[in-house]
């Protein structure tokens, strides 16, 4: 009403509930790909920077089109920017592209210089399969939330020599119903050019997960009471997180202190590499393999059960690797001055 009073008439309305649009003039509704603006049996053209929404099925989808341009570092970066993925659902694919671009940067090519032959075919294959992302459908709506349901934010982190990643799932279970799992968000980072040990990269992945879990719990779902559970497949990183931050050297100690401020240390658990969906994002997946990848979209098989059935068994820790980042014990120097016997003898008569 405020906008109408100012002469601003809102148009292009769209909703997943047709009843909400019945009282609106047809020319005020967002036109779909069909002739009828209120027809919900086809994909309407509701796209924002390549991310689409189908009101009928209430699903998100991707519409990415690659241009036929010469393969240079500039065009590769331009094609990567066409994949608009604000919540990181395509992180395994975008990480693969970022890793490819890092290899190009290491060659120190000019922006418009053609790619070497050994890089042309891999990028051509990747680009040819990008349209396969259009077959992916992601439900917009979270599982139904009731006061009696038990909610969990379940995070996974992983690292490889190429980079590290974190992914979060929303798990809800009603007292009498089947638990539901929904992929919320994910994020990845390419490893820096400077060589870093794998345990340190695993800790960087845990740090990324801690920040992502904190952002989701405090900003995206602030009114939802959900328990936080974080999984990591590195026993060394878990030992650092569960220890006191002042015990470790600067690199590890600073990140451990930040992680402990964001997530309680008792929320961390160990998970095997085969059950870790973040492994998909830290290594990359080809676009045509992502659609049918249950580990990425649904998490490990045991995540479909109640939280009592999740792994919580302590794993064997490599003590030597853990102690490599321990600060050396403090050293105290005590200086003792020997007594001068001659001094005592000279004045012993007094």
């Amino acid at each position: 009403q405020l906008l109408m009073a100012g002469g601003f008439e809102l148009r292009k309305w769209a909703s997943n509930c047709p009843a909400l649009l019945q009282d609106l003039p047809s020319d005020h509704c967002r036109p779909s790909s069909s002739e009828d603006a209120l027809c919900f049996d086809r994909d309407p053209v509701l796209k924002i920077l390549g991310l689409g929404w189908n009101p009928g099925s209430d699903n998100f989808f991707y519409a990415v089109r690659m241009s036929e341009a010469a393969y240079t570092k500039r065009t590769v970066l331009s094609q990567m920017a066409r994949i608009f993925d604000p919540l990181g659902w395509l992180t395994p694919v975008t990480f693969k592209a970022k890793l490819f671009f890092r290899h190009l940067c290491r060659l120190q090519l000019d922006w418009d210089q053609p790619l070497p032959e050994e890089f042309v075919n891999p990028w051509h294959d990747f680009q040819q399969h990008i349209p396969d992302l259009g077959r992916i459908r992601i439900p917009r709506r979270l599982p139904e939330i009731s006061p009696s349901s038990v909610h969990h934010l379940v995070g996974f982190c992983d690292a490889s020599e190429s980079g590290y990643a974190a992914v979060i799932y929303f798990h809800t279970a009603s007292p009498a119903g089947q638990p539901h799992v929904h992929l919320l968000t994910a994020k990845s980072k390419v490893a820096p050019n400077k060589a870093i040990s794998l345990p340190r990269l695993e800790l960087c992945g845990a740090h990324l997960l801690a920040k992502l879990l904190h952002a989701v719990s405090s900003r995206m779902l602030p009114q939802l009471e959900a328990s936080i559970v974080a999984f990591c497949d590195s026993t060394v990183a878990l030992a650092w997180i569960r220890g006191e931050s002042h015990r470790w050297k600067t690199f590890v100690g600073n990140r451990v202190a930040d992680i402990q401020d964001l997530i309680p240390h008792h929320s961390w658990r160990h998970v095997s590499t085969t059950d870790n969906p973040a492994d998909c994002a830290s290594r990359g997946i080809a676009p045509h393999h992502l659609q049918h990848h249950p580990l990425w979209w649904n998490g490990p098989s045991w995540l479909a059960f109640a939280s009592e059935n999740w792994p919580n068994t302590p794993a064997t820790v490599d003590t030597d690797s853990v102690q490599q980042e321990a600060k050396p014990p403090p050293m105290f120097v005590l200086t003792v001055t020997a007594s001068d016997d001659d001094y005592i003898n000279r004045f012993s008569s007094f």
Side-chain angles (χ1 to χ4, degrees), residues 47 50 54 69 83 88 97 118 139 141 143 164 176 201 211 224 227 233 250 256 266 275 284 287 304 314 326-327 347:
K47 301 175 184 176
N54 183 346
I83 305 176
E118 62 269 21
R141 189 169 177 266
Y164 50 93
L201 287 175
K211 293 187 291 185
L224 181 65
S227 302
D233 59 8
T250 304
V256 168
H266 58 77
D275 288 340
K327 289 182 179 179
F347 298 97

Side-chain angles (χ1 to χ4, degrees), residues 154 156 171 231 271-272 275 299-306 309-311:
V154 188
F156 296 85
H171 179 278
F231 286 95
V271 64
S272 63
D275 288 340
S301 57
W302 44 260
L303 197 60
F305 300 99
N309 300 319
W310 298 350

Side-chain angles (χ1 to χ4, degrees), residues 12 18 60 66 71 104 120 183 189 194 333-334 338 341 347:
K12 297 184 179 181
F60 288 114
M66 293 295 181
Y71 294 157
L104 294 183
V120 171
L183 174 63
K189 289 190 176 183
K194 182 180 179 180
V333 179
L334 179 62
D341 295 338
F347 298 97

Side-chain angles (χ1 to χ4, degrees), residues 327-349:
K327 289 182 179 179
M331 299 181 63
F332 300 94
V333 179
L334 179 62
T335 303
V336 179
T337 304
S339 60
D340 191 351
D341 295 338
D342 183 62
Y343 181 83
I344 297 176
N345 294 331
R346 287 168 54 192
F347 298 97
S348 60
S349 59

